[in-house]
Amino acid sequence: MESLSELVEFPLLQTPIDAHYRACTIPYRFPSDNPRKPTPTEISWIHLFLNSIPSFKKRAESDTSVPDAANKAEKFAQRYTDILEDLKKDPESHGGPPDCILLCRLREQILRELGFADIFKKVKDEENANAISLFENVVLLNDAIEDDVKRLENLVRGIFAGNIFDLGSAQLAEVFSKDGMSFLASCQNLVPRPWVIDDLDTFKAKWSKKSWKKANNSGADIILGILPFARELLRRGSQVVLAANDLPSINDVTYSELVEIISQLKDEEGRLVGVSTSNLFIANSGNDLPVIDLTRVSQELAYLATDADLVILEGMGRGIETNLYAQFKCDSLKIGMVKHPEVAQFLGGRLYDCVFKYNEVSSL
């Protein structure tokens, strides 16, 4: 694991990175704000994280891999609540002022210190097994669409449907606990277009004319959302790099889980439902949060991404909350569903609205 000890800047970020990049889309505060007084935006985000504590505590209590889980879950809830209340009084405490990366990191730190390595493991394993059983059907339904552009739109809808499965969102955790989620129903039930950021028509026009030689993806909702899309890129002759977290965080897939999932989905010839995976690479991103700071990625991912000509950031945490405005030296896609009211308000959209942001870099 030595390569992960030193994290590096993602090589495709526009330079100078200091001038172009900040891993936080929504400004929680401005330079003119009083550093000792929390801003209204900070308060509303601290409340969002406070509201997530009961569902995290419940997951932690039922983690059978941790001795005395119930007491430790109570300690987690208390400690994290205290820290968030401190930040409301003094935004410069606990490494603040807060942003979504710090608020996520503090939560993960407390869980790990108490011995909770992966409180979502049970639900992840169940969902992955369920998704693996559906994978071939989802792919064959896509393959049956003869029109390339219509097939692309269906694949994109699949990414959003996969994105719905997010247990970091308090409302969705509740929906999921009630009735599980039907993937195909989710595809049909997306909010109608135009979405709050909707570059799909532009991307569809490029899709017919342009092929990317190497696409690099960092995303979470993998089996029924990202993998059918990655398989389509492989089928079109692209190399594809899939990046997954080093350590567990919420229900995001980890590198080791992704390696195992791909090996289960491949047939004996190493194909994904008839498509060769010789151009598919899986990278450990070096990340351990549901959001990502692209100035801190693994050397392995940096090396594999160097010559990519399309970067895809998928999921609300990575694609919207931390990297919506990230500028790259190559074409990029940010894809995610808006699952927090605070994000919907910032973007001027609806809850469960979709973001499909495509930026093309003109080749000279």
Side-chain angles (χ1 to χ4, degrees):
M1 298 296 278
E2 208 176 10
S3 69
L4 294 178
S5 57
E6 195 185 327
L7 298 173
V8 296
E9 292 170 342
F10 187 67
L12 295 170
L13 282 171
Q14 272 289 10
T15 50
I17 288 172
D18 288 353
H20 286 284
Y21 182 73
R22 183 163 174 262
C24 194
T25 300
I26 300 173
Y28 285 21
R29 64 169 46 241
F30 295 97
S32 56
D33 290 319
N34 179 344
R36 306 301 302 229
K37 194 168 177 277
T39 66
T41 307
E42 285 170 345
I43 295 284
S44 76
W45 278 87
I46 289 168
H47 281 149
L48 184 146
F49 279 82
L50 277 166
N51 290 339
S52 75
I53 292 175
S55 68
F56 276 72
K57 182 186 167 205
K58 199 173 166 190
R59 296 271 167 208
E61 282 168 352
S62 57
D63 187 341
T64 52
S65 70
V66 176
D68 198 18
N71 279 333
K72 287 177 179 167
E74 183 54 52
K75 273 186 190 161
F76 154 73
Q78 200 50 59
R79 269 189 215 172
Y80 193 42
T81 301
D82 290 348
I83 284 175
L84 293 175
E85 292 297 342
D86 286 349
L87 284 164
K88 274 162 66 176
K89 293 187 205 93
D90 176 8
E92 293 194 312
S93 61
H94 302 286
D99 58 18
C100 61
I101 289 182
L102 180 67
L103 295 172
C104 287
R105 184 165 301 291
L106 289 166
R107 183 173 63 193
E108 293 297 338
Q109 245 166 346
I110 299 162
L111 285 167
R112 287 169 194 157
E113 280 166 12
L114 289 165
F116 293 108
D118 191 357
I119 61 173
F120 289 89
K121 183 162 177 36
K122 184 171 177 283
V123 72
K124 261 196 307 190
D125 289 348
E126 286 166 5
E127 267 309 297
N128 287 346
N130 190 20
I132 284 168
S133 72
L134 295 173
F135 177 75
E136 188 171 346
N137 273 351
V138 167
V139 161
L140 292 173
L141 281 171
N142 279 311
D143 285 1
I145 302 169
E146 286 178 26
D147 182 296
D148 270 7
V149 173
K150 285 185 180 148
R151 187 163 64 246
L152 167 67
E153 178 158 354
N154 212 49
L155 287 160
V156 168
R157 287 179 173 276
I159 295 174
F160 287 124
N163 211 225
I164 291 172
F165 177 57
D166 173 3
L167 300 182
S169 154
Q171 292 99 325
L172 283 172
E174 204 175 304
V175 169
F176 182 79
S177 68
K178 283 195 185 122
D179 62 352
M181 284 195 181
S182 153
F183 180 75
L184 293 171
S186 303
C187 283
Q188 304 308 317
N189 292 339
L190 298 178
V191 298
R193 295 182 62 202
W195 299 319
V196 64
I197 298 178
D198 193 336
D199 296 331
L200 181 56
D201 290 343
T202 311
F203 187 69
K204 286 197 305 199
K206 296 295 169 194
W207 183 259
S208 348
K209 301 186 187 93
K210 187 169 185 173
S211 65
W212 293 271
K213 66 177 173 43
K214 189 170 186 180
N216 174 74
N217 172 272
S218 176
D221 318 297
I222 197 87
I223 299 171
L224 300 179
I226 284 299
L227 279 179
F229 187 72
R231 175 182 170 274
E232 187 72 10
L233 285 165
L234 290 167
R235 191 156 85 154
R236 289 162 55 92
S238 300
Q239 289 185 337
V240 176
V241 180
L242 294 175
N245 268 11
D246 180 30
L247 297 176
S249 184
I250 315 188
N251 55 311
D252 290 0
V253 74
T254 62
Y255 169 74
S256 55
E257 287 165 349
L258 183 53
V259 170
E260 175 56 31
I261 286 164
I262 301 275
S263 76
Q264 286 186 51
L265 291 174
K266 287 200 281 202
D267 65 18
E268 50 279 9
E269 271 107 48
R271 291 182 306 214
L272 276 180
V273 196
V275 173
S276 166
T277 54
S278 58
N279 278 330
L280 177 64
F281 305 91
I282 303 167
N284 187 326
S285 67
N287 189 42
D288 60 354
L289 297 175
V291 289
I292 192 165
D293 178 350
L294 292 175
T295 63
R296 296 173 53 75
V297 302
S298 71
Q299 293 175 38
E300 175 196 11
L301 175 58
Y303 172 73
L304 284 169
T306 308
D307 60 343
D309 48 6
L310 176 64
V311 170
I312 304 168
L313 285 149
E314 183 270 338
M316 182 175 68
R318 296 173 187 84
I320 303 176
E321 288 178 353
T322 43
N323 289 291
L324 185 63
Y325 302 132
Q327 295 175 42
F328 296 96
K329 296 172 184 172
C330 64
D331 293 359
S332 63
L333 273 177
K334 285 82 170 242
I335 307 175
M337 181 173 279
V338 176
K339 293 171 288 192
H340 288 153
E342 292 76 0
V343 180
Q345 188 183 348
F346 173 76
L347 294 174
R350 304 154 284 186
L351 195 60
Y352 310 126
D353 214 326
C354 299
V355 166
F356 189 92
K357 184 169 167 53
Y358 173 58
N359 288 95
E360 188 177 22
V361 171
S362 54
S363 46
L364 298 173

